[in-house]
């Protein structure tokens, strides 16, 4: 998606906040991601925490955020991803992750 207007940038930012993925395994990023997920959004964390972590529940509750944690289980999907990556319409080099 090429963004050429301020409205387009806002829409893209909102869409990206609807699906958050975090593998940092840091308590600060865990809290930040919970607060940053858009209303009705989905947040997945695959980070491994070896000690108990306090999870801030008020913000996600108020925003109706869904939370999933655990290993990503990518193996069953790898053949389809590799097939897509080798096809003409997909260019993995253009995929980027913004850092806020």
């Amino acid at each position: 998606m090429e963004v050429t207007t301020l409205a387009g940038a806002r829409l893209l930012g909102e869409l990206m906040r609807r699906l958050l993925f975090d593998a940092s395994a840091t308590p600060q990023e865990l809290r930040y991601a919970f607060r940053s997920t858009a209303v009705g959004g989905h947040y997945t964390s695959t980070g491994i925490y070896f000690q108990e972590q306090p999870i801030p529940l008020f913000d996600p509750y108020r925003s109706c955020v869904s939370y999933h944690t655990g290993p990503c289980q990518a193996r069953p999907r790898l053949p389809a991803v590799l097939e897509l990556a080798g096809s003409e319409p997909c260019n993995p080099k253009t995929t980027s992750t913004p850092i806020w």
Side-chain angles (χ1 to χ4, degrees), residues 59-90:
D59 287 333
Y61 171 80
R62 169 178 79 162
S63 301
C64 197
V65 169
S66 298
Y67 174 65
H68 175 261
T69 187
C72 64
Q73 306 296 331
R75 186 179 300 257
R77 293 172 180 84
L78 279 178
V81 170
L82 292 174
E83 183 179 332
L84 180 63
S87 69
E88 190 63 35
C90 178

Side-chain angles (χ1 to χ4, degrees), residues 1-99:
M1 170 188 252
E2 185 176 343
V3 178
T4 57
T5 66
L6 181 58
R10 286 184 180 140
L11 176 61
L12 181 60
E14 181 64 24
L15 290 173
M16 295 175 88
R17 288 181 49 234
R18 289 186 184 270
L19 296 173
L20 262 70
F21 175 82
D22 171 42
S24 69
T26 65
Q28 297 83 6
E29 293 300 321
L30 177 72
R31 288 190 296 276
Y32 179 76
F34 268 120
R35 285 192 303 269
S36 300
T37 306
V39 173
H42 302 278
Y43 167 43
T44 298
S45 174
T46 60
I48 299 171
Y49 297 89
F50 294 102
Q51 297 176 355
E52 295 293 322
Q53 298 298 319
I55 297 178
L57 294 178
F58 182 67
D59 287 333
Y61 171 80
R62 169 178 79 162
S63 301
C64 197
V65 169
S66 298
Y67 174 65
H68 175 261
T69 187
C72 64
Q73 306 296 331
R75 186 179 300 257
R77 293 172 180 84
L78 279 178
V81 170
L82 292 174
E83 183 179 332
L84 180 63
S87 69
E88 190 63 35
C90 178
N91 182 357
K93 292 180 184 176
T94 60
T95 304
S96 65
T97 302
I99 299 174

